Amino acid sequence: MIVEQSSEYDITGYDSPIGRIVTIMDADTIVGVRFDDGDLSHPPPEHICEWFDAYFSGRQIDPLPKYRLDGISDFARSVYEELVKVPYGHVCTYGCLAEKISQTTGKRVSARAVGMALSRNPVLIILPCHRVIGSNGRMTGYAGGIWRKEFLLSLEKSGSIRSRPRDLWG
C-alpha cells in the first residue's frame, strides 16, 4: 500500500540471516529498505519485525507492509507495479518484465531500462527485485549482492533456510 509523504524519518535496523536490514520509516510507512551493517540503536516497529520474521521463516506474507515510493519516475513506478505481480517463489527475466510493461503502456521498453529501474529499488525485499534474473537464467545485479539474491530466491523456493547465507558461495 502506498501512502502520502511526511518530513520526519526513523532509521531502524533489523538483524536478518543475511545481515542488518535498515528500514527508513515515516510514521508506520516504509520509505526505504537497504542492507547496512552499521550500528543502529533500535529495531523497526513490531509489525515490520513480524513481517521480516515471517518472511525469513520461509512464509509468504500478505499484504506487504505499507510503503511509499518517493521521487521515482513514472517509468520506474510502472516497473515496480509489474514487479509486485511476480509470485513469491518464482522468477522472471528482465526481458519478460519489459514485455509486460510494453503491453501495459503501449510503449516499447527494453530489458536494460527495466534493469536500470530495478537497480534503484528503494525498498529491497518489499519490492522483490531479487526475483528478476537474466534471460540466460543467470543471477545478475542486486544492490545487496548476488549472494543475497541467491539466498532470498532459495528461501522463497524451499521455504526454509538450509545453510548460512555466505555458504551459498562456496
Side-chain angles (χ1 to χ4, degrees), residues 106-125:
K107 297 178 184 174
R108 183 161 160 55
V109 174
S110 73
R112 184 176 295 237
V114 167
M116 288 302 295
L118 293 178
S119 73
R120 296 180 181 101
N121 179 355
V123 287
L124 297 174
I125 301 176

Side-chain angles (χ1 to χ4, degrees), residues 14-78:
Y14 174 87
D15 290 319
S16 81
I18 53 177
R20 169 95 23 100
I21 296 174
V22 173
T23 57
I24 302 157
M25 305 286 301
D26 179 4
D28 66 341
T29 303
I30 295 174
V31 295
V33 174
R34 64 180 173 16
F35 295 99
D36 184 346
D37 293 325
D39 184 33
L40 296 169
S41 60
H42 62 284
E46 188 173 339
H47 70 283
I48 303 298
C49 288
E50 288 172 358
W51 191 90
F52 280 127
D53 288 346
Y55 179 85
F56 284 107
S57 70
R59 295 191 321 261
Q60 177 180 354
I61 309 95
D62 288 316
L64 293 173
K66 224 178 355 178
Y67 66 91
R68 187 181 67 237
L69 302 173
D70 293 340
I72 66 166
S73 68
D74 290 340
F75 174 72
R77 189 170 304 278
S78 70

Side-chain angles (χ1 to χ4, degrees), residues 95-113:
C96 177
L97 213 52
E99 186 177 313
K100 289 180 181 192
I101 295 164
S102 294
Q103 291 171 353
T104 302
T105 64
K107 297 178 184 174
R108 183 161 160 55
V109 174
S110 73
R112 184 176 295 237

